[in-house]
Each structure stands twice: as C-alpha cells, then as structure tokens.
Amino acid sequence: MGEPVGIGPEVTAKAWLAGAPPFCVLGDAALYAGVPVARVASIEEAAAAFGHALPVLHRPLPAPATPGVLEPRNAPAVIAAIAEAVALAQAGRAGAVVTCPIQKSVLTAAGFPHPGHTEFLGELAGTGVPPVMMLACPELRVVPVTVHEPLARAIARLTPELIAEHARITHAALVRDFGIAQPRLAVAGLNPHAGEAGTLGHEDQAIVAPAVALLRAEGILATGPHPPDTLFTALARPTYDAAICLYHDQALIPLKTLDMEGGVNVTLGLSVIRTSPDHGTALDIAGRGIASPHSLLAALRLADQLLRTRPCASR
C-alpha cells in the first residue's frame, strides 16, 4: 500500500490497467475506487481474480485518507502492511514484495525507528548481511554505499571494508538474482578526477583503492576508483554491470537523469525479493489523476524477472 494519501493507490490502479504481472494489494480496498476491485480472503485467490479486477487483501485504515493530506493515525497500518507482505513472501505464499512509497516523516512521528524501507526490511528479512539499496534501469545499475545521511557524515563513515562489503553483496545478488555469471563492478571515486593522484584529496588512494584491491584479491572483477564525472557516460556504462557509488546523490542523480520513469529500487541481501518505484509519495499531485505508473510497472516487472532467476524462489 505505501502511504495511502500519496500517489501509491493511483499508480497501483494504473499498473493493473496497464497489464502488469499478476499482483495482490495489501491495503484498504477503498483507496482503489477507480478500478474494479476484488476483495480476496487470501492471497491464493488473487491470481484467479487478477484478470477481471484488482485483487486486494482488505486492511481497513483507522482514519480517513484524503489525497495529499497526511494522517499520522494511519502510520501503523502502513507499517503493518509491509510486515505482512514480507511474512507472506517468507512463507512462500507470495513470490516477491513490491512496495509503494512511504512518507518517512509521518512514520517517524509515529515512532517508526528506521530511516526508511530498506532498514526495516533488513530487520524483517535479513540474511546476516546489511540490506543494500540498488537502483536499476535498463541502462544502469547503481549501489550507494552510504544512503540517507548528511554528506559530511557519509564521507566520514567510508572505509575500505564498508565499500567492499557493499560490493560483495552486490556481486552475490547479480549472480543469484540477475543471472550474471561474472559481474563487473566499477567503484566510483570520491573526489573530482578520483583525487588525481592525491592532488585533489587523499580519500581515493587511502580508502577507495584499498577496497578495490580487497575485492580483486577475492576474485571479484572490480575496477576503480573511477572519476565520477565520466563513470556514467554512454561509453563507460557498457563496461560494467553495476557501479558502486559512495553516497546517495552520486548514485541516484545519474540513474534518475537517465530514466526517472523506468528506475527501480531493489533491496539486496534479503531473504525475499523486494522492489519499489524510484520516486516518492508526490503529495503535491496526489488525487489529481496525473501520476505516471511507469516506475511501479518497472518494479513489478523486475520483481517478476528476479523471481524467475533466483534459485529456489517462491513461484
């Protein structure tokens, strides 16, 4: 369901109309009044209903949901929907979890202790490694080593092992879920020109290069540090399968510039498959009927693809 007063309900309905792979909604059925809705008693009934109506496991909200108007009383229902979706996937009753955007400020005010979906999913479905965020579109996959924190703090946290850990998790996911036998990882530099041999900063020599050396010693095809201003060009992108980036915007700006509507957030390192659109709740346009479903459609289609690739995945 995601944030019920954001664009999640609208893009979900549009994704169903556009012919997405079969899915079932966990949320309040009243949010999807614009399409035929089938209230299913169990997720097992969803496949039969999907051809003629949007299947919904009805979970009524405790307070009214007015598009664009935040309602903190509904925060527990948003959190519960995520937890239930993960439980269904862990039990093999659902193949994957696809999450609509959440409004972090509302959840935080309600006592939600996590900075976002990724960390909560790590608590619910962790595998002993930190959950890692990947943003993917047909032309590019990026993984930020640090995510939702101030830039100064993000840089201070960087270590060779932290970078290598994210790269290892990315490598394993590319093999298992994306079917790439020998993934090629390009590790971005931190400073302009990747420090230019220390002239523009020493972090690339002291932190990033040792991480690349660690990975190569383990047999992972990693290169870098690469100058960030050329790493995402049309000539560079075909030379790697994923770029390991050092902070949030270094990863997300190029991907969203290339393909905002086709970008998908994938959480790596979980026991379940999880994807989501790469946009937020868009409260400013909620309820106006103009939100694009393309990123959610891409998230649903990628979840279906990963489900077919991952060994022993639920089907």
Side-chain angles (χ1 to χ4, degrees):
M1 172 174 60
E3 171 53 56
V5 303
I7 61 171
E10 177 184 339
V11 296
T12 299
K14 288 179 176 178
W16 177 79
L17 287 169
F23 66 91
C24 182
V25 176
L26 261 168
D28 193 321
L31 298 173
Y32 309 95
V35 295
V37 169
R39 296 193 185 193
V40 294
S42 71
I43 198 166
E44 286 77 14
E45 299 176 11
F50 191 82
H52 60 85
L54 176 65
V56 179
L57 280 167
H58 180 51
R59 303 294 182 259
L61 293 169
T66 302
V69 181
L70 294 173
E71 175 50 82
R73 289 176 293 174
N74 288 331
V78 174
I79 297 167
I82 300 167
E84 185 178 358
V86 170
L88 287 168
Q90 287 177 317
R93 298 174 64 193
V97 176
V98 180
T99 57
C100 283
I102 55 174
Q103 188 72 23
K104 299 178 183 69
S105 59
V106 173
L107 300 190
T108 299
F112 187 63
H114 306 283
H117 261 129
T118 301
E119 296 78 9
F120 185 38
L121 290 161
E123 178 182 286
L124 295 172
T127 59
V129 299
V132 167
M133 175 192 294
M134 172 187 280
L135 273 290
C137 70
E139 293 187 64
L140 180 64
R141 301 183 190 97
V142 292
V143 171
V145 173
T146 60
V147 189
H148 296 128
E149 50 196 327
L151 185 56
R153 186 187 305 161
I155 294 171
R157 286 189 57 227
L158 291 173
T159 64
E161 181 53 40
L162 184 67
I163 296 168
E165 179 180 53
H166 280 67
R168 291 184 195 108
I169 295 167
T170 303
H171 178 271
L174 289 172
V175 173
R176 179 185 65 175
D177 293 340
F178 289 83
I180 302 172
Q182 292 186 303
R184 302 161 300 164
L185 303 181
V187 183
L190 177 66
N191 295 301
H193 303 184
E196 202 160 306
T199 306
L200 301 177
H202 297 284
E203 292 87 352
D204 293 284
Q205 291 177 309
I207 300 172
V208 186
V212 174
L214 276 173
L215 295 166
R216 292 182 69 85
E218 296 168 12
I220 293 175
L221 300 179
T223 58
H226 293 279
D229 61 341
T230 57
L231 180 58
F232 307 104
T233 62
L235 286 176
R237 292 195 302 272
T239 67
Y240 56 85
D241 298 300
I244 307 300
C245 303
L246 303 183
Y247 55 91
H248 181 278
D249 285 5
Q250 187 182 65
L252 272 65
I253 287 174
L255 185 129
K256 291 188 177 185
T257 300
L258 278 170
D259 196 357
M260 179 69 188
E261 289 205 330
V264 179
N265 184 341
V266 188
T267 306
L268 312 180
L270 300 179
S271 61
V272 301
I273 293 167
R274 180 265 177 158
T275 67
S276 74
D278 71 350
H279 56 71
T281 55
L283 298 175
D284 56 326
I285 63 169
R288 294 170 57 188
I290 60 174
S292 169
H294 291 302
S295 186
L296 179 59
L297 269 170
L300 288 159
R301 288 168 178 160
L302 182 57
D304 186 58
Q305 174 191 325
L306 299 182
L307 174 62
R308 297 171 190 278
T309 304
R310 175 179 286 204
C312 301
S314 303
R315 282 176 168 80

